[in-house]
Amino acid sequence: MTESPSVPLFGRDTELARLTELLPQARQGYGEAVLIEGEPGSGKTTLVQALEADALAAGFTLVRGCCDEAAGEFPLLPVLDALGVHRRGEDAARAEIRQLLRTGAGANQDAIPALIERLLGLVETACEERPVLLFIDDLQWVDDATAIWWQRLARQADQLPLLLVGAVRSRAVGAAVDALRRGRTRRQGPLLRLGPLDTAALTALAEHHLGAPPGPRLTQLLTGTGGSPLCAVEFLGHVGREGLLRPAADGSRAVDLATELVGATLAGAVRNRISHLGPEDREFLQTLSVLGPEFGTQEALAVLDGSARELAPRFTGAQALGLIGLHGSTTAFRNPLLQERLYEDIPLALRASLHTRAAERLEAADAPLDRVLRQLTKAAALSDSWAPRGSWSRTWLHEHSEALVNRAPAIAVELLSPLLDPAAPDGRLYLAVVNALHRVHRLEQVPVLCRQLLASDADPATVGEASFHLAIQLHIAGRLVESVDVIEQALSRGDIPPRWLATLHAQRGPIEHHLGRPEAAQHHLDRAIELGRSCEAWFAVGLANWFSAFFAESVDPHLALQRIEDAIDALRRDPSERYTLVIALSGRLRALRTLDRTADIEDTVDSLRRTTEHSGGVTPLTTTVDLAKLRFQQGRWDEATAEIDHLVDQDTAEHWLLFEVHAMLAAIAAHRGDDAALRRHLDLCADRPTGEFDFDTRQLLALANAVAADRAGDRSRATTALLECLDPERIRQQGMRFHWLPYLVRFALAAGDRAAAAHAAEVCRAEAEHAAIVYWQQAAAHCEALLAGDAVALLDVAAYYQRTERPLEHAQTLQDAARAFTASGDHRQAEDAAGRAAAECRRLGVPYGADAPSARREWGWESLTATEQRIARMAAQAMSNPGIAAELNLPRRTVQTHVSRILTKLGLRSRVEIPHHIPADPAAW
């Protein structure tokens, strides 16, 4: 948290007015996210400093951070600096973040998502105390994680007393910068572009600096600066230092150039400024330039020679000359180009040594790991063949290898790889690099390193872990026999520790399964469980039980649930496995849903949410999708879309599950008759890869296309779309088969294809006979009743669907019954069933009948779902998003989505307006 000095500003009145207009609404809880673009030296930072002065007077907390070109691989560094995470003596929340940075978020979990959640929480907490102006400078150097943090916060800004401001150079390119431009707010907040100053502004600026107006020669030369205020200021300093000014010839107050000069440039002005520095001042500033454009004052004292008392005159003098500025505990070069020039003047051969020396001194001063690591990274960046120089850097990297992997895996690969020696592999370093490569998805190098370890005389534990990593990579590559060979060689050694023996047996299970050897697969999984329990290798026990459950899910859900319970029990015993535990809990949801254990489902969701919060607040992608699918199946579609709203804009190339997200949204859009959304999501799935992970996506897409064709009146096309899923050899792998098989029977009958309908009904009956699962049996009964036109049997099935919270199936089966009653001439019963179906369809937002308009209410209180109404009531009581999330056991991000939808549906700008739109009648709640 920083205070901002008052900075003179010229020629930016319009831009400053636009920004200051945002302060009152931010104070009222309706914030904004703003990007300011401009060329270097255009005054972006000065403009924000003027805004900060107004914000400070208005009671805002000021927060400021700065990106650094040389620290681009450090995830979230500008945010950590801005929020003071590394400052000693701060609160418990910051101490938890520091712990995350040191030790990571637990086994099998990347710490970055957890860090993003915690850092968002810090901002939200600050906003609860006072309105906040948060400024991040030099966003052209932004790292990917900071860009994600910015996007998340920008989307939330309109629900907070927050003005989020970023400065970025014009024409900056890159995926992270593009993400910033996309993610200002849901209303797309302002993007201010700073152009060149006009002559009047340049004249006013010159008069401020000179104490007199500029004469014609000086004015002409200032105009030649291209309207850059920074260039103009530097040029004015240059002509003053060189004694090139004299009173104007006309006897006025003006001052002018004593002689003609060629056009001014910013680079030339900066060079001139440096040329006037004495040797000691130049050395002082060059040492500081090694730290970057902005740095902590204590950091500077650590790398400089001399005590704080001895160095104080140097800092004071540089500040008086306008070379550096002090902002609380932060020091920054006034002109980033000055820092760049000073740094570039250091001989290239010396820079790496200076960075290494700075790192060593920072470590001796007990500086945070980030500060030390940043200097070593800068040293490494100076050479394509960097290797740690001296024993200190090698020792430090070795001792901090695990923390380095947790903090910045990409940098860990860069810094630790030169330490690897194939002739004498160090197991600890090799495995640290392997783990880092996993984190950054550079998996092609993993087998090479693992084989080098296995070819050495590594200790048995290292051999076990290396074999595990190698077997996984070979399995992913489809080289199943080689993967088995690697595991078998490790198992046959006789000296592998039991923990790794158990883990290797667990990993061999799915490999054997994919080789078509289910008995061998189960043997190895059982062996993993036995060994793991004996040595308390709970990850191996959990993994083996999870694989067993996965294989049993489509055949024997009762057995699958028991295996999942065993996996959960094992994973609960190891606090480092909370992330994996969350995934196991989502597996329990699937089994409970199949078994109609509706009373247990919400308890499991609550347990899952609590475990997620304890593991850093990050829900695994697979769990997020499982939760959305649960809500989809329960007909709670608005809640389903709220769960996955943050995934919609992600590149589907990042993970195959993102295709399933779009397939689910396509299915919802098809049922609701939203053709534009349907086409958008179908197009995003057009180029999806196919394979063993594609089954649910394929089924959802087929269902979406079939429902859309049915709405268009093309029942033959609807039938064909679902028949593509009816592969006898793969039907059991399609976990949604009992959901869509009744659709297929319905569409085939409507298309006059009774043979296809009968075939689908027979498949459903045959699949249902594999286990005594009521849901499967009822789906089969549904198909047979459709085929027979048995209205009474259809009503029985509808009643089952209603009891088990399957509202879509309930509505559709009532429609089926209404048609059957009509066909038999029982119009009273048909009207009753149709009325009940229409009511259920209205609740779902599904048009009743193929040609009916959407039944959803888009605006007003009644358009809110039950969850949205509850959140609206809580927001009306001034509860913050984190408070609501804690009360309802929901992720903050999901609450944010719900609040955004509440504001949209009620036509409001800010959550402070919500209390005025809560119905007076409590029954309406």
PDB file of all heavy atoms in Angstrom, residues 588-589 591-605 630-631 633-634 636 800-807:
ATOM      1  N   ARG A 588     -17.273 -39.520  -6.280  1.00  0.00           N
ATOM      2  CA  ARG A 588     -18.387 -39.993  -5.445  1.00  0.00           C
ATOM      3  C   ARG A 588     -19.714 -39.397  -5.930  1.00  0.00           C
ATOM      4  O   ARG A 588     -20.756 -40.081  -5.928  1.00  0.00           O
ATOM      5  CB  ARG A 588     -18.150 -39.607  -3.996  1.00  0.00           C
ATOM      6  CG  ARG A 588     -19.301 -40.026  -3.085  1.00  0.00           C
ATOM      7  CD  ARG A 588     -19.312 -39.245  -1.784  1.00  0.00           C
ATOM      8  NE  ARG A 588     -18.529 -39.894  -0.745  1.00  0.00           N
ATOM      9  CZ  ARG A 588     -18.251 -39.316   0.431  1.00  0.00           C
ATOM     10  NH1 ARG A 588     -18.657 -38.079   0.667  1.00  0.00           N
ATOM     11  NH2 ARG A 588     -17.552 -39.961   1.331  1.00  0.00           N
ATOM     12  N   LEU A 589     -19.682 -38.135  -6.356  1.00  0.00           N
ATOM     13  CA  LEU A 589     -20.907 -37.506  -6.860  1.00  0.00           C
ATOM     14  C   LEU A 589     -21.494 -38.287  -8.025  1.00  0.00           C
ATOM     15  O   LEU A 589     -22.707 -38.491  -8.109  1.00  0.00           O
ATOM     16  CB  LEU A 589     -20.619 -36.068  -7.312  1.00  0.00           C
ATOM     17  CG  LEU A 589     -20.474 -35.001  -6.238  1.00  0.00           C
ATOM     18  CD1 LEU A 589     -20.140 -33.656  -6.872  1.00  0.00           C
ATOM     19  CD2 LEU A 589     -21.740 -34.892  -5.401  1.00  0.00           C
ATOM     20  N   ALA A 591     -21.150 -41.447  -8.750  1.00  0.00           N
ATOM     21  CA  ALA A 591     -21.722 -42.724  -8.304  1.00  0.00           C
ATOM     22  C   ALA A 591     -23.034 -42.509  -7.557  1.00  0.00           C
ATOM     23  O   ALA A 591     -24.013 -43.245  -7.769  1.00  0.00           O
ATOM     24  CB  ALA A 591     -20.717 -43.462  -7.424  1.00  0.00           C
ATOM     25  N   LEU A 592     -23.069 -41.520  -6.683  1.00  0.00           N
ATOM     26  CA  LEU A 592     -24.300 -41.238  -5.929  1.00  0.00           C
ATOM     27  C   LEU A 592     -25.444 -40.876  -6.860  1.00  0.00           C
ATOM     28  O   LEU A 592     -26.599 -41.256  -6.631  1.00  0.00           O
ATOM     29  CB  LEU A 592     -24.049 -40.102  -4.934  1.00  0.00           C
ATOM     30  CG  LEU A 592     -23.128 -40.412  -3.751  1.00  0.00           C
ATOM     31  CD1 LEU A 592     -22.855 -39.142  -2.949  1.00  0.00           C
ATOM     32  CD2 LEU A 592     -23.730 -41.492  -2.848  1.00  0.00           C
ATOM     33  N   ARG A 593     -25.129 -40.125  -7.901  1.00  0.00           N
ATOM     34  CA  ARG A 593     -26.170 -39.714  -8.847  1.00  0.00           C
ATOM     35  C   ARG A 593     -26.752 -40.936  -9.552  1.00  0.00           C
ATOM     36  O   ARG A 593     -27.971 -41.066  -9.694  1.00  0.00           O
ATOM     37  CB  ARG A 593     -25.573 -38.735  -9.864  1.00  0.00           C
ATOM     38  CG  ARG A 593     -26.584 -38.199 -10.860  1.00  0.00           C
ATOM     39  CD  ARG A 593     -27.612 -37.359 -10.167  1.00  0.00           C
ATOM     40  NE  ARG A 593     -28.596 -36.840 -11.102  1.00  0.00           N
ATOM     41  CZ  ARG A 593     -29.800 -36.433 -10.752  1.00  0.00           C
ATOM     42  NH1 ARG A 593     -30.178 -36.503  -9.482  1.00  0.00           N
ATOM     43  NH2 ARG A 593     -30.638 -35.952 -11.639  1.00  0.00           N
ATOM     44  N   THR A 594     -25.898 -41.848  -9.976  1.00  0.00           N
ATOM     45  CA  THR A 594     -26.374 -43.045 -10.668  1.00  0.00           C
ATOM     46  C   THR A 594     -27.236 -43.900  -9.750  1.00  0.00           C
ATOM     47  O   THR A 594     -28.227 -44.497 -10.193  1.00  0.00           O
ATOM     48  CB  THR A 594     -25.174 -43.870 -11.168  1.00  0.00           C
ATOM     49  OG1 THR A 594     -24.399 -43.072 -12.064  1.00  0.00           O
ATOM     50  CG2 THR A 594     -25.631 -45.129 -11.878  1.00  0.00           C
ATOM     51  N   LEU A 595     -26.877 -43.916  -8.460  1.00  0.00           N
ATOM     52  CA  LEU A 595     -27.587 -44.761  -7.500  1.00  0.00           C
ATOM     53  C   LEU A 595     -28.768 -44.050  -6.835  1.00  0.00           C
ATOM     54  O   LEU A 595     -29.375 -44.596  -5.900  1.00  0.00           O
ATOM     55  CB  LEU A 595     -26.608 -45.245  -6.427  1.00  0.00           C
ATOM     56  CG  LEU A 595     -25.487 -46.166  -6.932  1.00  0.00           C
ATOM     57  CD1 LEU A 595     -24.481 -46.432  -5.825  1.00  0.00           C
ATOM     58  CD2 LEU A 595     -26.063 -47.463  -7.468  1.00  0.00           C
ATOM     59  N   ASP A 596     -29.075 -42.851  -7.271  1.00  0.00           N
ATOM     60  CA  ASP A 596     -30.223 -42.098  -6.734  1.00  0.00           C
ATOM     61  C   ASP A 596     -30.081 -41.793  -5.248  1.00  0.00           C
ATOM     62  O   ASP A 596     -31.086 -41.676  -4.524  1.00  0.00           O
ATOM     63  CB  ASP A 596     -31.549 -42.848  -6.966  1.00  0.00           C
ATOM     64  CG  ASP A 596     -31.890 -42.964  -8.437  1.00  0.00           C
ATOM     65  OD1 ASP A 596     -31.498 -42.064  -9.208  1.00  0.00           O
ATOM     66  OD2 ASP A 596     -32.537 -43.948  -8.826  1.00  0.00           O
ATOM     67  N   ARG A 597     -28.855 -41.628  -4.785  1.00  0.00           N
ATOM     68  CA  ARG A 597     -28.631 -41.281  -3.375  1.00  0.00           C
ATOM     69  C   ARG A 597     -28.720 -39.752  -3.250  1.00  0.00           C
ATOM     70  O   ARG A 597     -27.731 -39.069  -2.940  1.00  0.00           O
ATOM     71  CB  ARG A 597     -27.270 -41.796  -2.930  1.00  0.00           C
ATOM     72  CG  ARG A 597     -27.122 -43.323  -3.012  1.00  0.00           C
ATOM     73  CD  ARG A 597     -27.408 -43.980  -1.687  1.00  0.00           C
ATOM     74  NE  ARG A 597     -26.433 -43.553  -0.687  1.00  0.00           N
ATOM     75  CZ  ARG A 597     -25.270 -44.165  -0.456  1.00  0.00           C
ATOM     76  NH1 ARG A 597     -24.958 -45.247  -1.166  1.00  0.00           N
ATOM     77  NH2 ARG A 597     -24.439 -43.724   0.457  1.00  0.00           N
ATOM     78  N   THR A 598     -29.884 -39.218  -3.535  1.00  0.00           N
ATOM     79  CA  THR A 598     -30.043 -37.758  -3.618  1.00  0.00           C
ATOM     80  C   THR A 598     -29.752 -37.066  -2.296  1.00  0.00           C
ATOM     81  O   THR A 598     -29.228 -35.952  -2.277  1.00  0.00           O
ATOM     82  CB  THR A 598     -31.462 -37.404  -4.093  1.00  0.00           C
ATOM     83  OG1 THR A 598     -32.414 -38.044  -3.232  1.00  0.00           O
ATOM     84  CG2 THR A 598     -31.694 -37.880  -5.510  1.00  0.00           C
ATOM     85  N   ALA A 599     -30.086 -37.708  -1.190  1.00  0.00           N
ATOM     86  CA  ALA A 599     -29.870 -37.081   0.113  1.00  0.00           C
ATOM     87  C   ALA A 599     -28.382 -36.916   0.411  1.00  0.00           C
ATOM     88  O   ALA A 599     -27.987 -36.021   1.171  1.00  0.00           O
ATOM     89  CB  ALA A 599     -30.534 -37.913   1.214  1.00  0.00           C
ATOM     90  N   ASP A 600     -27.562 -37.786  -0.170  1.00  0.00           N
ATOM     91  CA  ASP A 600     -26.126 -37.735   0.104  1.00  0.00           C
ATOM     92  C   ASP A 600     -25.371 -36.805  -0.847  1.00  0.00           C
ATOM     93  O   ASP A 600     -24.216 -36.456  -0.586  1.00  0.00           O
ATOM     94  CB  ASP A 600     -25.514 -39.138  -0.016  1.00  0.00           C
ATOM     95  CG  ASP A 600     -26.069 -40.102   1.022  1.00  0.00           C
ATOM     96  OD1 ASP A 600     -26.360 -39.644   2.140  1.00  0.00           O
ATOM     97  OD2 ASP A 600     -26.207 -41.304   0.708  1.00  0.00           O
ATOM     98  N   ILE A 601     -26.011 -36.440  -1.944  1.00  0.00           N
ATOM     99  CA  ILE A 601     -25.308 -35.669  -2.967  1.00  0.00           C
ATOM    100  C   ILE A 601     -24.889 -34.301  -2.448  1.00  0.00           C
ATOM    101  O   ILE A 601     -23.724 -33.894  -2.572  1.00  0.00           O
ATOM    102  CB  ILE A 601     -26.172 -35.542  -4.240  1.00  0.00           C
ATOM    103  CG1 ILE A 601     -26.200 -36.889  -4.969  1.00  0.00           C
ATOM    104  CG2 ILE A 601     -25.636 -34.443  -5.158  1.00  0.00           C
ATOM    105  CD1 ILE A 601     -27.117 -36.930  -6.170  1.00  0.00           C
ATOM    106  N   GLU A 602     -25.816 -33.559  -1.840  1.00  0.00           N
ATOM    107  CA  GLU A 602     -25.480 -32.205  -1.392  1.00  0.00           C
ATOM    108  C   GLU A 602     -24.488 -32.231  -0.235  1.00  0.00           C
ATOM    109  O   GLU A 602     -23.656 -31.318  -0.111  1.00  0.00           O
ATOM    110  CB  GLU A 602     -26.752 -31.439  -1.003  1.00  0.00           C
ATOM    111  CG  GLU A 602     -27.689 -31.166  -2.181  1.00  0.00           C
ATOM    112  CD  GLU A 602     -26.980 -30.523  -3.371  1.00  0.00           C
ATOM    113  OE1 GLU A 602     -26.125 -29.627  -3.161  1.00  0.00           O
ATOM    114  OE2 GLU A 602     -27.288 -30.900  -4.515  1.00  0.00           O
ATOM    115  N   ASP A 603     -24.549 -33.274   0.605  1.00  0.00           N
ATOM    116  CA  ASP A 603     -23.541 -33.403   1.659  1.00  0.00           C
ATOM    117  C   ASP A 603     -22.149 -33.569   1.044  1.00  0.00           C
ATOM    118  O   ASP A 603     -21.159 -33.010   1.541  1.00  0.00           O
ATOM    119  CB  ASP A 603     -23.850 -34.610   2.553  1.00  0.00           C
ATOM    120  CG  ASP A 603     -25.046 -34.373   3.461  1.00  0.00           C
ATOM    121  OD1 ASP A 603     -25.403 -33.191   3.657  1.00  0.00           O
ATOM    122  OD2 ASP A 603     -25.608 -35.363   3.961  1.00  0.00           O
ATOM    123  N   THR A 604     -22.075 -34.333  -0.042  1.00  0.00           N
ATOM    124  CA  THR A 604     -20.788 -34.529  -0.719  1.00  0.00           C
ATOM    125  C   THR A 604     -20.320 -33.233  -1.368  1.00  0.00           C
ATOM    126  O   THR A 604     -19.128 -32.907  -1.335  1.00  0.00           O
ATOM    127  CB  THR A 604     -20.907 -35.639  -1.771  1.00  0.00           C
ATOM    128  OG1 THR A 604     -21.286 -36.855  -1.125  1.00  0.00           O
ATOM    129  CG2 THR A 604     -19.587 -35.844  -2.499  1.00  0.00           C
ATOM    130  N   VAL A 605     -21.259 -32.487  -1.950  1.00  0.00           N
ATOM    131  CA  VAL A 605     -20.890 -31.188  -2.537  1.00  0.00           C
ATOM    132  C   VAL A 605     -20.333 -30.271  -1.452  1.00  0.00           C
ATOM    133  O   VAL A 605     -19.314 -29.603  -1.650  1.00  0.00           O
ATOM    134  CB  VAL A 605     -22.095 -30.535  -3.232  1.00  0.00           C
ATOM    135  CG1 VAL A 605     -21.762 -29.095  -3.656  1.00  0.00           C
ATOM    136  CG2 VAL A 605     -22.518 -31.337  -4.454  1.00  0.00           C
ATOM    137  N   LEU A 630     -23.464 -32.434 -12.813  1.00  0.00           N
ATOM    138  CA  LEU A 630     -24.470 -32.763 -11.796  1.00  0.00           C
ATOM    139  C   LEU A 630     -25.636 -31.786 -11.874  1.00  0.00           C
ATOM    140  O   LEU A 630     -26.804 -32.195 -11.903  1.00  0.00           O
ATOM    141  CB  LEU A 630     -23.829 -32.717 -10.407  1.00  0.00           C
ATOM    142  CG  LEU A 630     -24.799 -32.804  -9.224  1.00  0.00           C
ATOM    143  CD1 LEU A 630     -25.448 -34.179  -9.164  1.00  0.00           C
ATOM    144  CD2 LEU A 630     -24.075 -32.487  -7.911  1.00  0.00           C
ATOM    145  N   ARG A 631     -25.327 -30.488 -11.917  1.00  0.00           N
ATOM    146  CA  ARG A 631     -26.393 -29.482 -11.988  1.00  0.00           C
ATOM    147  C   ARG A 631     -27.152 -29.583 -13.309  1.00  0.00           C
ATOM    148  O   ARG A 631     -28.368 -29.346 -13.349  1.00  0.00           O
ATOM    149  CB  ARG A 631     -25.802 -28.081 -11.819  1.00  0.00           C
ATOM    150  CG  ARG A 631     -25.109 -27.836 -10.478  1.00  0.00           C
ATOM    151  CD  ARG A 631     -25.902 -28.313  -9.298  1.00  0.00           C
ATOM    152  NE  ARG A 631     -25.302 -27.972  -8.013  1.00  0.00           N
ATOM    153  CZ  ARG A 631     -25.586 -28.568  -6.871  1.00  0.00           C
ATOM    154  NH1 ARG A 631     -26.466 -29.557  -6.836  1.00  0.00           N
ATOM    155  NH2 ARG A 631     -25.012 -28.187  -5.742  1.00  0.00           N
ATOM    156  N   GLN A 633     -27.740 -32.397 -14.937  1.00  0.00           N
ATOM    157  CA  GLN A 633     -28.640 -33.531 -14.791  1.00  0.00           C
ATOM    158  C   GLN A 633     -29.789 -33.226 -13.841  1.00  0.00           C
ATOM    159  O   GLN A 633     -30.894 -33.764 -13.989  1.00  0.00           O
ATOM    160  CB  GLN A 633     -27.860 -34.747 -14.297  1.00  0.00           C
ATOM    161  CG  GLN A 633     -26.853 -35.267 -15.302  1.00  0.00           C
ATOM    162  CD  GLN A 633     -25.831 -36.200 -14.677  1.00  0.00           C
ATOM    163  OE1 GLN A 633     -25.783 -36.371 -13.463  1.00  0.00           O
ATOM    164  NE2 GLN A 633     -24.990 -36.799 -15.504  1.00  0.00           N
ATOM    165  N   GLN A 634     -29.540 -32.347 -12.870  1.00  0.00           N
ATOM    166  CA  GLN A 634     -30.591 -31.971 -11.916  1.00  0.00           C
ATOM    167  C   GLN A 634     -31.520 -30.888 -12.470  1.00  0.00           C
ATOM    168  O   GLN A 634     -32.459 -30.486 -11.785  1.00  0.00           O
ATOM    169  CB  GLN A 634     -29.958 -31.468 -10.617  1.00  0.00           C
ATOM    170  CG  GLN A 634     -29.241 -32.537  -9.816  1.00  0.00           C
ATOM    171  CD  GLN A 634     -28.535 -31.962  -8.602  1.00  0.00           C
ATOM    172  OE1 GLN A 634     -27.997 -30.858  -8.642  1.00  0.00           O
ATOM    173  NE2 GLN A 634     -28.537 -32.707  -7.510  1.00  0.00           N
ATOM    174  N   ARG A 636     -30.712 -27.881 -12.923  1.00  0.00           N
ATOM    175  CA  ARG A 636     -30.334 -26.580 -12.351  1.00  0.00           C
ATOM    176  C   ARG A 636     -29.316 -25.945 -13.296  1.00  0.00           C
ATOM    177  O   ARG A 636     -28.136 -25.787 -12.992  1.00  0.00           O
ATOM    178  CB  ARG A 636     -29.795 -26.787 -10.939  1.00  0.00           C
ATOM    179  CG  ARG A 636     -30.875 -27.300  -9.992  1.00  0.00           C
ATOM    180  CD  ARG A 636     -30.343 -28.016  -8.770  1.00  0.00           C
ATOM    181  NE  ARG A 636     -29.581 -27.164  -7.883  1.00  0.00           N
ATOM    182  CZ  ARG A 636     -29.136 -27.539  -6.676  1.00  0.00           C
ATOM    183  NH1 ARG A 636     -29.411 -28.764  -6.240  1.00  0.00           N
ATOM    184  NH2 ARG A 636     -28.442 -26.723  -5.928  1.00  0.00           N
ATOM    185  N   TYR A 800     -40.978 -41.427 -10.944  1.00  0.00           N
ATOM    186  CA  TYR A 800     -39.621 -41.774 -10.496  1.00  0.00           C
ATOM    187  C   TYR A 800     -38.656 -40.628 -10.787  1.00  0.00           C
ATOM    188  O   TYR A 800     -37.851 -40.239  -9.925  1.00  0.00           O
ATOM    189  CB  TYR A 800     -39.149 -43.051 -11.195  1.00  0.00           C
ATOM    190  CG  TYR A 800     -37.644 -43.204 -11.164  1.00  0.00           C
ATOM    191  CD1 TYR A 800     -36.994 -43.653 -10.020  1.00  0.00           C
ATOM    192  CD2 TYR A 800     -36.866 -42.850 -12.278  1.00  0.00           C
ATOM    193  CE1 TYR A 800     -35.616 -43.763  -9.988  1.00  0.00           C
ATOM    194  CE2 TYR A 800     -35.495 -42.955 -12.245  1.00  0.00           C
ATOM    195  CZ  TYR A 800     -34.865 -43.407 -11.103  1.00  0.00           C
ATOM    196  OH  TYR A 800     -33.501 -43.504 -11.059  1.00  0.00           O
ATOM    197  N   TYR A 801     -38.709 -40.081 -11.990  1.00  0.00           N
ATOM    198  CA  TYR A 801     -37.807 -38.986 -12.353  1.00  0.00           C
ATOM    199  C   TYR A 801     -38.014 -37.781 -11.432  1.00  0.00           C
ATOM    200  O   TYR A 801     -37.062 -37.102 -11.048  1.00  0.00           O
ATOM    201  CB  TYR A 801     -38.043 -38.559 -13.803  1.00  0.00           C
ATOM    202  CG  TYR A 801     -37.477 -39.504 -14.844  1.00  0.00           C
ATOM    203  CD1 TYR A 801     -38.149 -39.725 -16.044  1.00  0.00           C
ATOM    204  CD2 TYR A 801     -36.273 -40.167 -14.645  1.00  0.00           C
ATOM    205  CE1 TYR A 801     -37.643 -40.573 -17.020  1.00  0.00           C
ATOM    206  CE2 TYR A 801     -35.761 -41.030 -15.611  1.00  0.00           C
ATOM    207  CZ  TYR A 801     -36.444 -41.225 -16.789  1.00  0.00           C
ATOM    208  OH  TYR A 801     -35.933 -42.059 -17.749  1.00  0.00           O
ATOM    209  N   GLN A 802     -39.256 -37.531 -11.055  1.00  0.00           N
ATOM    210  CA  GLN A 802     -39.531 -36.403 -10.162  1.00  0.00           C
ATOM    211  C   GLN A 802     -38.934 -36.653  -8.777  1.00  0.00           C
ATOM    212  O   GLN A 802     -38.327 -35.752  -8.188  1.00  0.00           O
ATOM    213  CB  GLN A 802     -41.040 -36.178 -10.056  1.00  0.00           C
ATOM    214  CG  GLN A 802     -41.421 -34.964  -9.216  1.00  0.00           C
ATOM    215  CD  GLN A 802     -42.918 -34.760  -9.161  1.00  0.00           C
ATOM    216  OE1 GLN A 802     -43.696 -35.722  -9.173  1.00  0.00           O
ATOM    217  NE2 GLN A 802     -43.341 -33.498  -9.123  1.00  0.00           N
ATOM    218  N   ARG A 803     -39.069 -37.869  -8.266  1.00  0.00           N
ATOM    219  CA  ARG A 803     -38.537 -38.193  -6.942  1.00  0.00           C
ATOM    220  C   ARG A 803     -37.016 -38.078  -6.903  1.00  0.00           C
ATOM    221  O   ARG A 803     -36.449 -37.756  -5.863  1.00  0.00           O
ATOM    222  CB  ARG A 803     -38.939 -39.624  -6.542  1.00  0.00           C
ATOM    223  CG  ARG A 803     -40.381 -39.835  -6.202  1.00  0.00           C
ATOM    224  CD  ARG A 803     -40.591 -41.163  -5.489  1.00  0.00           C
ATOM    225  NE  ARG A 803     -40.050 -42.305  -6.230  1.00  0.00           N
ATOM    226  CZ  ARG A 803     -40.715 -42.978  -7.156  1.00  0.00           C
ATOM    227  NH1 ARG A 803     -41.952 -42.617  -7.459  1.00  0.00           N
ATOM    228  NH2 ARG A 803     -40.141 -44.009  -7.763  1.00  0.00           N
ATOM    229  N   THR A 804     -36.367 -38.361  -7.993  1.00  0.00           N
ATOM    230  CA  THR A 804     -34.904 -38.423  -8.008  1.00  0.00           C
ATOM    231  C   THR A 804     -34.265 -37.175  -8.622  1.00  0.00           C
ATOM    232  O   THR A 804     -33.104 -37.208  -9.039  1.00  0.00           O
ATOM    233  CB  THR A 804     -34.433 -39.681  -8.775  1.00  0.00           C
ATOM    234  OG1 THR A 804     -34.995 -39.670 -10.102  1.00  0.00           O
ATOM    235  CG2 THR A 804     -34.865 -40.941  -8.042  1.00  0.00           C
ATOM    236  N   GLU A 805     -35.019 -36.085  -8.672  1.00  0.00           N
ATOM    237  CA  GLU A 805     -34.496 -34.786  -9.106  1.00  0.00           C
ATOM    238  C   GLU A 805     -33.912 -34.841 -10.511  1.00  0.00           C
ATOM    239  O   GLU A 805     -32.784 -34.431 -10.768  1.00  0.00           O
ATOM    240  CB  GLU A 805     -33.446 -34.264  -8.107  1.00  0.00           C
ATOM    241  CG  GLU A 805     -34.006 -34.004  -6.723  1.00  0.00           C
ATOM    242  CD  GLU A 805     -32.963 -33.452  -5.767  1.00  0.00           C
ATOM    243  OE1 GLU A 805     -31.825 -33.160  -6.205  1.00  0.00           O
ATOM    244  OE2 GLU A 805     -33.289 -33.304  -4.578  1.00  0.00           O
ATOM    245  N   ARG A 806     -34.744 -35.347 -11.435  1.00  0.00           N
ATOM    246  CA  ARG A 806     -34.398 -35.328 -12.858  1.00  0.00           C
ATOM    247  C   ARG A 806     -35.511 -34.585 -13.592  1.00  0.00           C
ATOM    248  O   ARG A 806     -36.327 -35.188 -14.298  1.00  0.00           O
ATOM    249  CB  ARG A 806     -34.241 -36.755 -13.395  1.00  0.00           C
ATOM    250  CG  ARG A 806     -33.014 -37.478 -12.842  1.00  0.00           C
ATOM    251  CD  ARG A 806     -32.879 -38.880 -13.445  1.00  0.00           C
ATOM    252  NE  ARG A 806     -31.572 -39.450 -13.161  1.00  0.00           N
ATOM    253  CZ  ARG A 806     -31.252 -40.140 -12.085  1.00  0.00           C
ATOM    254  NH1 ARG A 806     -32.190 -40.339 -11.143  1.00  0.00           N
ATOM    255  NH2 ARG A 806     -30.040 -40.613 -11.908  1.00  0.00           N
ATOM    256  N   PRO A 807     -35.568 -33.261 -13.438  1.00  0.00           N
ATOM    257  CA  PRO A 807     -36.720 -32.503 -13.945  1.00  0.00           C
ATOM    258  C   PRO A 807     -36.865 -32.523 -15.458  1.00  0.00           C
ATOM    259  O   PRO A 807     -37.997 -32.489 -15.958  1.00  0.00           O
ATOM    260  CB  PRO A 807     -36.461 -31.087 -13.429  1.00  0.00           C
ATOM    261  CG  PRO A 807     -35.002 -31.035 -13.152  1.00  0.00           C
ATOM    262  CD  PRO A 807     -34.608 -32.403 -12.728  1.00  0.00           C
TER     263      PRO A 807
END
